[in-house]
Amino acid sequence: MPQGESGADARSARPTMKDVAALAGLSIKTVSRVVNGVSTVDPELATRVQDAARKLGYRPNLTASNLRRSDGRTLTIGMLVEDAANPFSAALMRAAEDIARSRGVLVLFGSLDEDPARERELVEALLDRRVDGLVMVPAGRDQSYLAAEQQAGTRMVFVDREPGLLGADAVVSDNRQGAITAVEHLLAHGHRRIGYLGDQITIPTAAQRFDGYQYALEYARLPLDPDLVRHDLHSTEAAEEAVEQLLALPEPPTALFTSQNLVTIAACRALRRLRKHQEVAMVGFDDFPLADILEPGISVIAQDADALGRIAAQVLFSRLDGDTSATRTMTVPTRLIPRGSGELTPRSVRA
Amino acid sequence: MPQGESGADARSARPTMKDVAALAGLSIKTVSRVVNGVSTVDPELATRVQDAARKLGYRPNLTASNLRRSDGRTLTIGMLVEDAANPFSAALMRAAEDIARSRGVLVLFGSLDEDPARERELVEALLDRRVDGLVMVPAGRDQSYLAAEQQAGTRMVFVDREPGLLGADAVVSDNRQGAITAVEHLLAHGHRRIGYLGDQITIPTAAQRFDGYQYALEYARLPLDPDLVRHDLHSTEAAEEAVEQLLALPEPPTALFTSQNLVTIAACRALRRLRKHQEVAMVGFDDFPLADILEPGISVIAQDADALGRIAAQVLFSRLDGDTSATRTMTVPTRLIPRGSGELTPRSVRA
DNA sequence: CTGAAAGCGCTTACAG
DNA sequence: CTGAAAGCGCTTACAG
């Protein structure tokens, strides 16, 4: 005979609908109706259910209801970023979290550290948990392995970088235009030798920014001097060393365009050590805290990480709500913030 | 007759064990054994299952297996922090993620923004999803509502702040000692009027840091001048204004102790605007990026956020592994990093 | 070593 | 408006 009394193992310590039904003297179907807010329940019975639920400390088991439910929703989405501890990733996550929360959805997260193998592992781990959808900054360049999953109905939105070999929604910054704006700003202040310091060129955003750098020089009919270009600066040390090497050239650059957050900070540090921070101009891609407080303040091309994360989540939910229009890439504009470092002029001009 | 063919609705597009079993011509129990790596399966049958699974793109449904499984594990934990976008919270999350990942566990996160109501909502949302455990930075001062859940077997570890009215494991920084170290450092450099700028005093860590400030002054037999103490500086504007007011006093402080990250940064900004950053000494609680590059560099009491997050996750998993020893609070030491701002001496000493 | 039956906690589809 | 039966995808407990 089913009783409110449960077995001895740990899991049964948590009351179920059956326990609530037994205490209220009703069927579990009626309890289910009350828990789910179905309006066609006798108010008196509803009260009995609510009292019993409160008394037992009953909480619905979402994972069980999801299993049987026709929409199959877990009210959970997955979010994969480069590194949860990095300010840009953290801002993306927080923005997506807020959109999700407004719909009662929670976010599972994972850091990929630019490792395609990890991307696949974590995607599988998320899918095994039957997340309703995925927001991700891809680490690899090939997401075709997700095609079957997409067919199976899992919604996915890419953010910061477009997917490779897969048609899916994406929300990205206007990287190329941002880089063009940065370089043209330096050109407008009289610079003709502008160094490029960038992250791994295999990262799509890095490639797009480098492309913008090239285009701006070409448009100004200036030659691209390969000695002034340094890629693959993934560590702080590598970036600082690259700055030192560039400035030790017979014809050193009078300005630098740094294509990413950490590279920009490393360059600041190197210029200060060389005591050239009031002399060599610099514009960085990506804003960072305290950029305004340094002397000179660091001019940057700011990305709107909040908007990227927010829009990506909104697109995901609109897909979950049934939007079946063609997938597309949305571009979020960047913004030049002049703070001093980008407005330094070369000696030749100042003289 | 059960066939590999499925119905038309979205969820059935994803193959189940039943589909794999049908294709392999075996029972679903055998498929289950292979999927779970049970060794007592005929190698030939195991191969048949694996082939069928690969062909269908089968992925196990973790949420279904969890429902029936005797350990009831979801391989998912919940982590609630102050704000995922804040560097300290982000570092906690990343550290916990790494520990969890090494055990095949994923992390659901949520930001509380110091709101106790949100704390309760998100805790419920996590429990409804049957997370194996919880790591949290509590927003409210009373966690007694979790007692029943703790009884029911949910493991929980508090980080950065101890729980209120609940016996549970906690991992915290040595806030009081850190504050004492900061103030004694300033005293050792000749300061006698040291201002205190802090966040809401209702936050336990803020209270502990203020306590350390008071103790250090008392130990040095110096009076505590209430004019030099400002609490509740939760916004940047409030913090900057407080600095201005303190420095406008007839007898202004010659040094400041700022009890938190954002307050420290706001104070830097205010001192720079007043052109007193080379004159008024400062030690901040909590390190932050670029603190070393400012001029002067900002001396801080650094917390080890990585260690806090890592240890909290490790304690949680040791509990999940069956450790039933008495709950306890672990304290992670802080470290003074002198960078210049804390070593400025008051005029009277320099003269 | 393999499989048919029962059940995890819930919802669906259907009678009353 | 209420409830008994069946089933979501899987594992347990038990036969063979």
Side-chain angles (χ1 to χ4, degrees):
Chain A
M1 226 177 288
Q3 287 291 329
E5 193 145 339
S6 335
D9 56 312
R11 53 186 305 153
S12 358
R14 189 173 277 117
T16 70
M17 272 194 179
K18 199 167 136 189
D19 300 320
V20 176
L23 184 61
L26 293 164
S27 75
I28 75 166
K29 179 63 233 193
T30 300
V31 175
S32 169
R33 288 196 179 92
V34 175
V35 167
N36 289 291
V38 174
S39 58
T40 60
V41 177
D42 185 305
E44 197 261 325
L45 298 189
T47 309
R48 253 160 70 194
V49 169
Q50 276 150 1
D51 289 347
R54 191 168 14 233
K55 189 175 242 164
L56 294 173
Y58 173 76
R59 289 259 85 215
N61 183 333
L62 218 63
T63 127
S65 85
N66 156 253
L67 189 59
R68 188 65 180 92
R69 206 163 213 131
S70 53
D71 64 7
R73 293 289 164 82
T74 52
L75 295 182
T76 302
I77 62 173
M79 180 147 196
L80 299 179
V81 296
E82 194 202 323
D83 173 9
N86 148 324
F88 178 72
S89 300
L92 291 179
M93 284 170 56
R94 178 64 211 258
E97 178 199 349
D98 287 342
I99 299 298
R101 192 204 319 257
S102 69
R103 313 183 54 130
V105 169
L106 257 41
V107 186
L108 275 164
F109 79 97
S111 303
L112 302 182
D113 294 331
E114 303 296 356
D115 180 350
R118 187 123 78 188
E119 175 188 324
R120 296 195 61 151
E121 279 165 31
L122 283 175
V123 163
E124 289 202 336
L126 290 169
L127 295 176
D128 290 354
R129 285 162 182 78
R130 297 299 186 265
V131 290
D132 297 333
L134 239 42
V135 175
M136 62 188 283
V137 178
R141 295 177 65 78
D142 175 4
Q143 277 70 46
S144 60
Y145 68 94
L146 281 166
E149 200 51 50
Q150 211 178 22
Q151 292 291 322
T154 303
R155 309 300 177 187
M156 48 192 84
V157 175
F158 291 80
V159 60
D160 186 46
R161 306 174 188 166
E162 294 183 76
L165 309 174
L166 182 80
D169 292 307
V171 184
V172 299
S173 282
D174 195 344
N175 291 296
R176 187 164 178 276
Q177 184 54 53
I180 292 172
T181 302
V183 174
E184 290 189 336
H185 187 69
L186 291 168
L187 290 170
H189 284 82
H191 297 277
R192 290 300 172 265
R193 287 184 65 72
I194 302 173
Y196 171 91
L197 299 171
D199 204 345
Q200 298 160 232
I201 193 72
T202 53
I203 299 174
T205 51
Q208 290 158 7
R209 293 170 196 170
F210 180 58
D211 188 43
Y213 164 81
Q214 287 180 297
Y215 177 83
L217 291 184
E218 200 178 298
Y219 189 82
R221 303 187 181 286
L222 286 172
L224 187 150
D225 181 347
D227 287 348
L228 298 187
V229 172
R230 300 295 303 270
H231 294 296
D232 302 314
L233 306 175
H234 201 57
S235 77
T236 300
E237 293 71 32
E240 294 191 29
E241 211 181 299
V243 172
E244 285 168 21
Q245 290 170 355
L246 252 57
L247 295 184
L249 287 174
E251 279 192 81
T254 62
L256 300 174
F257 168 53
T258 52
S259 92
Q260 187 244 79
N261 224 326
L262 301 176
V263 175
T264 306
I265 292 171
C268 285
R269 210 165 255 136
L271 286 179
R272 259 143 225 280
R273 203 170 42 225
L274 298 168
R275 298 265 134 225
K276 295 200 170 165
H277 53 294
Q278 298 286 8
E279 184 186 322
V280 176
M282 182 162 86
V283 176
F285 204 110
D286 237 9
D287 201 6
F288 56 93
L290 298 188
D292 60 320
I293 220 181
L294 296 175
E295 291 170 20
I298 308 301
S299 301
V300 298
I301 302 295
Q303 296 191 81
D304 194 344
D306 270 13
L308 289 169
R310 186 170 12 92
I311 295 171
Q314 282 164 340
V315 170
L316 182 69
F317 284 113
S318 78
R319 293 298 183 183
L320 285 167
D321 287 344
D323 175 358
T324 55
S325 58
T327 61
R328 64 195 196 106
T329 294
M330 303 187 63
T331 302
V332 176
T334 58
R335 188 168 54 96
L336 169 70
I337 307 180
R339 291 193 180 114
S341 75
E343 293 73 45
L344 296 173
T345 51
R347 280 180 196 282
S348 58
V349 171
R350 278 180 287 179
Chain B
M1 225 176 287
Q3 287 291 330
E5 194 145 336
S6 331
D9 55 311
R11 55 184 304 154
S12 359
R14 190 174 274 118
T16 70
M17 273 195 181
K18 199 166 134 191
D19 300 319
V20 176
L23 183 60
L26 293 165
S27 75
I28 75 165
K29 180 62 233 194
T30 299
V31 176
S32 170
R33 286 194 181 95
V34 175
V35 167
N36 290 290
V38 174
S39 57
T40 60
V41 177
D42 185 304
E44 198 263 325
L45 299 188
T47 310
R48 253 161 72 194
V49 169
Q50 276 149 3
D51 289 347
R54 191 167 14 232
K55 189 174 240 163
L56 295 172
Y58 173 76
R59 288 260 87 215
N61 183 332
L62 219 64
T63 126
S65 84
N66 156 253
L67 188 60
R68 188 64 179 91
R69 202 161 219 132
S70 52
D71 65 8
R73 292 288 164 80
T74 52
L75 295 181
T76 301
I77 62 172
M79 180 145 194
L80 300 179
V81 296
E82 195 202 324
D83 172 11
N86 147 327
F88 178 73
S89 300
L92 290 180
M93 283 170 56
R94 177 65 211 255
E97 177 199 351
D98 286 342
I99 299 298
R101 190 202 321 253
S102 69
R103 314 185 51 133
V105 169
L106 257 41
V107 186
L108 275 165
F109 79 96
S111 303
L112 302 181
D113 295 331
E114 304 296 356
D115 180 350
R118 189 122 79 184
E119 174 188 327
R120 296 195 63 152
E121 279 165 30
L122 282 175
V123 163
E124 288 201 336
L126 291 169
L127 295 176
D128 290 354
R129 284 162 182 77
R130 296 300 186 265
V131 291
D132 298 332
L134 239 43
V135 175
M136 63 188 283
V137 179
R141 297 176 63 80
D142 175 3
Q143 277 69 44
S144 60
Y145 68 94
L146 281 166
E149 200 51 48
Q150 212 179 21
Q151 293 290 320
T154 303
R155 309 301 176 185
M156 49 192 84
V157 176
F158 291 80
V159 61
D160 185 46
R161 307 174 187 167
E162 293 183 77
L165 310 175
L166 182 79
D169 292 308
V171 184
V172 299
S173 283
D174 196 344
N175 290 297
R176 186 165 179 276
Q177 184 54 55
I180 292 173
T181 302
V183 175
E184 288 188 338
H185 187 69
L186 292 168
L187 291 170
H189 282 82
H191 297 278
R192 291 298 171 266
R193 287 184 66 73
I194 302 174
Y196 171 92
L197 299 170
D199 202 346
Q200 295 160 236
I201 194 71
T202 52
I203 300 175
T205 51
Q208 290 158 8
R209 293 170 195 171
F210 181 59
D211 189 44
Y213 165 83
Q214 287 180 299
Y215 177 83
L217 292 183
E218 200 177 296
Y219 188 81
R221 302 187 184 288
L222 286 173
L224 187 150
D225 181 347
D227 287 348
L228 299 187
V229 172
R230 299 294 303 270
H231 293 297
D232 302 314
L233 306 176
H234 202 57
S235 76
T236 300
E237 294 71 34
E240 293 191 30
E241 208 181 302
V243 171
E244 285 167 22
Q245 290 170 352
L246 251 58
L247 295 184
L249 287 174
E251 280 192 80
T254 62
L256 300 175
F257 169 52
T258 52
S259 92
Q260 189 244 76
N261 226 324
L262 302 177
V263 175
T264 305
I265 292 171
C268 284
R269 210 163 256 137
L271 287 179
R272 257 144 227 280
R273 203 170 41 227
L274 298 168
R275 299 265 135 222
K276 294 199 172 166
H277 53 295
Q278 298 286 6
E279 184 187 321
V280 176
M282 182 162 84
V283 176
F285 205 111
D286 238 9
D287 201 6
F288 56 92
L290 298 188
D292 60 319
I293 220 180
L294 297 175
E295 290 169 23
I298 308 302
S299 301
V300 299
I301 302 294
Q303 296 192 81
D304 193 344
D306 270 11
L308 288 169
R310 186 168 13 94
I311 296 171
Q314 282 165 340
V315 170
L316 181 68
F317 285 113
S318 78
R319 292 299 184 184
L320 285 167
D321 286 344
D323 176 357
T324 55
S325 58
T327 62
R328 65 195 193 102
T329 294
M330 302 187 63
T331 302
V332 175
T334 58
R335 187 167 56 94
L336 171 70
I337 305 180
R339 292 197 178 109
S341 76
E343 294 72 45
L344 297 172
T345 52
R347 280 179 196 281
S348 58
V349 170
R350 278 181 287 179

